[in-house]
Amino acid sequence: MRNFERNGVATAVCAALLSAWASQATADEGITTTLNGYGTLGGTFTNNNNYVYHHDANEFSGADEQFDLGLESRIGLQARVNFGSGFSVTAQELIRQRGSDVFSLGTEWLYLQYEPDSNWTLRAGRVALGTFLYSDSREVGYAQPWFRPPNDVYAAESFQNLDGGQALWHTDLASVELSLQASFGNTSEQYSYGGVLATVAAKNAYNISASVEYQSFLFRVARTYLNLPESIAVGPGFTVNFAEHDIFNSVAVQYDNGKAIVLGEWSKRSEKDAPVLGQPLAASSQWYVAGGWRFGPVTPLLMYSGIKEEQSLSYVPATYHTFAASLRYDVVRNIALKAQVSRAQAGNAEYWVVPNQASNERVNVYSVGADFVF
Amino acid sequence: MNRFRKLKLITCFSVLIVGASMARADVVVVVSAKSTTTTMTPDEISQIYLGKSKSMKPVETSGSPIRSQFYSKVAGKDEAQVKAIWSKLVFTGKATAPKELATSAEVVKAVAADPEAIGYIDKSAVDSSVKVVYAVP
C-alpha cells in the first residue's frame, strides 16, 4: 500500500515535469524553469550461474551468465522552478528497475529550497541522503569516472533519500572551498536478503558531512545515523523488539588534476548490541582505492575494494575483496561509453542475491553501457 | 586503399589539425564596466565556471572553439570533464550551470547589464560596456 502511494505521487510529479517540458523553460514574470535529464543504457552478465549479482539489497533480482539489460538501465528527469528571491522547487524523477524485474517510476527528490544568501541553502521535502562521496549522484553515471562505484562500499547502505529537511553551508576563502551539510528525516525501502522480502523503515535518521576542496584535492568526512525498529523472532512465541541504531562513519579523499584521478573511501558501520541476543544486527568496515588517467577522451581506471564483516547477527567474521577495471570513452559531447570488469568474492550478502559465505569463490562481473545527460 | 593514398590522407588530416589549432581565437574574460572588479586570477575564474564559487554569475557562448580553449587554458579541463562536473552539481541541486548564449555579442550585452555577471568572449567583441579582467593565454 505504501509503495502504491509513493508510485502515485511519483506519477503525479512526473506528469507535472512533462507538462513543464512541453512549455520548455518559459520565463513568466521572473519565474524560470530549468529541465535536465540523465540516463544509462547498459547491461551486465557474470561468468557463474551459481550466483546472482545486483547493486544492493534494494533490487530483488540481478544478473547471472545471461546478459541483463534491466539492472543498469535507467533514465532520470529533473525540473527546477526558480521563483526568484531565493526560492525554488526541485523535483527529480527516476525510472529504473526496483524490487523485482519491473521498471517503475520513483521520486528521488522533491523539495522546496530557500537560499537567503550565497552561503546558505535550506531545503524541505524529499532530499538526498549523502552517506558516501557519490551517494547523492549515484544514479548519474555520466558524472562518475567508473561505470559503477565499488559495491563493497556503496552496497553497505542503500537508502538514497530522506523525507525531512536539509541545510547546506558553503564558503570559499581564497582557493579553499568549505561545505557543511546536515540532513534529517524518515525513509523506507523494500529489501531482499537471501530472497526474503522486508520493508525497512528508518525514523529520525540524519546525515552530517563536511568537505574541504583545495585545488585538485577533496577531503570529506560524513556520518549517517539510521534508527530502524527491528523485530526478531528468537523462539516460538518469543520476539525481541528493539531499535537498531545503524551508524556509518565515512572518510573520502579525492585527487583530480584533470589528467590523473585518484580516490578512496573508508567507512565503518557500527551498531549497539541487540538486547537479549547480545550482538549487533550488522557490523562491518568497507573501503576502496581507485586510480585512473585521462588519455584525451579515454579514461582507464583501476579499483580495489574490500568489506570486512564483523561478528554480528547478520555476519560471521569474514573479509571479501574485489578487483575491478573500468574504461570511460567520451565519444561525443554528453555521451560516455563505458565498460567495467569486476572480479569479486561472492560472499557478501549486500550485493549477491544468493551469496555463498563458505566457498569464497571469485566471480567475474562484466558490464557495458552508455551514460548520457541532456 | 593503397599505402600512398593512406599517406596522403594522413597528411591531409595533419594539415587540418595543425590548421585548426593555428586558428585559435584571442579569448578574454570580461565583467561589466560598472563592476568594481579590475583583475582576476585563472583560479578565481575557474572556481566560478566549475561551480565552486557562487560569487559571480557566469555566462558563456554555446559555440565550441572559444569554449574548449577557455576551459583547457583556465581550468585545465576538457569539455567532457566540465560537463561531468556540472552534471554532479546540477543533479544534486547544488548549482545551476552557466547561462548559455549564442554569440559573443550577446555575452557582452548580458555582462554589461549585470555588475555580478562574468563572461568570456572573443577579444574582437570587447566594447566600452565591459572591461577585460583576464586575457586567456
Side-chain angles (χ1 to χ4, degrees):
Chain A
M1 188 62 199
R2 193 182 162 81
N3 274 320
F4 179 75
E5 281 165 16
R6 279 177 75 135
N7 273 339
V9 171
T11 311
V13 173
C14 199
L17 267 179
L18 288 172
S19 70
W21 193 283
S23 63
Q24 190 61 269
T26 48
D28 179 23
E29 290 169 18
I31 298 175
T32 52
T33 308
T34 323
L35 296 159
N36 294 97
Y38 62 86
T40 296
L41 184 66
T44 287
F45 63 99
T46 73
N47 69 341
N48 192 327
N49 265 340
N50 296 328
Y51 302 93
V52 177
Y53 167 84
H54 60 167
H55 298 143
D56 53 47
N58 212 294
E59 294 157 335
F60 308 159
S61 65
D64 51 24
E65 285 180 38
Q66 202 163 353
F67 188 74
D68 185 311
L69 198 64
L71 193 63
E72 313 288 357
S73 300
R74 58 198 179 265
I75 190 160
L77 275 182
Q78 179 174 295
R80 179 186 161 113
V81 184
N82 198 333
F83 296 97
S85 308
F87 285 96
S88 64
V89 168
T90 300
Q92 193 182 111
E93 291 295 308
L94 178 68
I95 297 172
R96 70 169 178 112
Q97 197 171 286
R98 289 161 216 270
S100 45
D101 271 337
V102 184
F103 276 86
S104 66
L105 188 66
T107 302
E108 287 295 292
W109 42 81
L110 173 59
Y111 55 77
L112 172 68
Q113 176 168 298
Y114 176 54
E115 289 172 276
D117 55 40
S118 63
N119 296 120
W120 284 94
T121 303
L122 306 169
R123 294 170 175 169
R126 178 169 294 173
V127 296
L129 174 61
T131 302
F132 308 117
L133 186 62
Y134 281 89
S135 290
D136 57 1
S137 55
R138 191 173 164 188
E139 305 288 352
V140 190
Y142 188 86
Q144 301 169 22
W146 41 52
F147 184 65
R148 188 176 51 233
N151 292 115
D152 287 314
V153 171
Y154 282 79
E157 200 284 283
S158 55
F159 287 109
Q160 298 209 352
N161 47 46
L162 293 175
D163 291 343
Q166 191 169 58
L168 295 90
W169 183 79
H170 172 274
T171 192
D172 48 289
L173 297 158
S175 52
V176 180
E177 193 194 345
L178 176 65
S179 310
L180 304 173
Q181 182 171 324
S183 320
F184 66 93
N186 302 329
T187 187
S188 76
E189 289 281 3
Q190 267 212 316
Y191 281 95
S192 160
Y193 283 107
V196 182
L197 302 190
T199 298
V200 184
K203 296 222 178 303
N204 304 321
Y206 70 75
N207 166 264
I208 44 172
S209 71
S211 61
V212 180
E213 281 183 66
Y214 174 67
Q215 293 177 348
S216 303
F217 291 94
L218 182 152
F219 179 75
R220 181 182 187 265
V221 288
R223 178 184 174 91
T224 294
Y225 165 88
L226 300 161
N227 181 357
L228 305 153
E230 295 289 348
S231 185
I232 296 176
V234 289
F238 183 47
T239 304
V240 178
N241 295 306
F242 65 101
E244 177 195 0
H245 299 281
D246 205 1
I247 296 165
F248 289 84
N249 288 317
S250 312
V251 179
V253 182
Q254 180 173 292
Y255 174 82
D256 184 348
N257 68 1
K259 284 283 175 209
I261 175 164
V262 181
L263 69 163
E265 287 189 74
W266 177 87
S267 171
K268 185 161 178 65
R269 178 183 197 174
S270 54
E271 293 176 7
K272 275 188 191 154
D273 289 351
V276 183
L277 302 161
Q279 282 186 27
L281 192 60
S284 62
S285 51
Q286 44 277 324
W287 53 269
Y288 72 86
V289 286
W293 189 269
R294 293 187 182 91
F295 299 94
V298 179
T299 311
L301 188 88
L302 293 174
M303 294 169 256
Y304 182 49
S305 59
I307 179 164
K308 182 171 184 274
E309 298 179 341
E310 314 272 1
Q311 181 63 48
S312 54
L313 296 170
S314 304
Y315 307 135
V316 291
T319 303
Y320 304 106
H321 292 110
T322 305
F323 293 99
S326 81
L327 195 69
R328 175 185 178 127
Y329 174 40
D330 285 285
V331 59
V332 289
R333 191 170 148 82
N334 296 7
I335 300 178
L337 302 181
K338 291 181 183 173
Q340 186 159 322
V341 180
S342 308
R343 185 158 170 77
Q345 283 171 299
N348 181 270
E350 307 293 343
Y351 61 94
W352 295 99
V353 179
V354 186
N356 186 339
Q357 291 176 319
S359 84
N360 238 347
E361 198 169 348
R362 287 195 178 274
V363 178
N364 294 353
V365 182
Y366 305 98
S367 305
V368 287
D371 290 325
F372 51 91
V373 288
F374 53 98
Chain B
M1 193 185 290
N2 64 34
R3 199 176 284 176
F4 179 68
R5 276 179 64 191
K6 224 180 205 172
L7 193 69
K8 252 174 86 178
L9 258 181
I10 290 169
T11 316
C12 184
F13 274 125
S14 324
V15 168
L16 275 176
I17 289 164
V18 171
S21 63
M22 277 171 74
R24 255 184 25 170
D26 278 330
V27 180
V28 291
V29 179
V30 293
V31 297
S32 167
K34 289 174 268 181
S35 166
T36 51
T37 310
T38 51
T39 58
M40 289 179 78
T41 65
D43 253 7
E44 289 170 329
I45 298 164
S46 92
Q47 281 204 312
I48 292 164
Y49 275 92
L50 297 181
K52 293 181 173 188
S53 167
K54 288 184 182 175
S55 60
M56 295 183 92
K57 294 179 203 157
V59 182
E60 65 187 359
T61 47
S62 29
S64 180
I66 285 195
R67 187 152 148 168
S68 51
Q69 193 182 331
F70 171 79
Y71 281 109
S72 74
K73 293 287 178 187
V74 173
K77 299 199 186 294
D78 64 32
E79 285 205 65
Q81 281 172 263
V82 172
K83 192 78 194 172
I85 290 168
W86 275 105
S87 300
K88 186 161 165 59
L89 291 168
V90 167
F91 294 116
T92 53
K94 288 195 176 114
T96 318
K99 197 172 178 182
E100 283 189 25
L101 298 168
T103 61
S104 280
E106 283 181 44
V107 172
V108 169
K109 213 171 140 189
V111 169
D114 186 350
E116 287 188 354
I118 179 170
Y120 59 88
I121 54 172
D122 194 301
K123 197 178 174 185
S124 62
V126 175
D127 65 21
S128 61
S129 67
V130 292
K131 58 182 170 186
V132 175
V133 288
Y134 180 71
V136 178

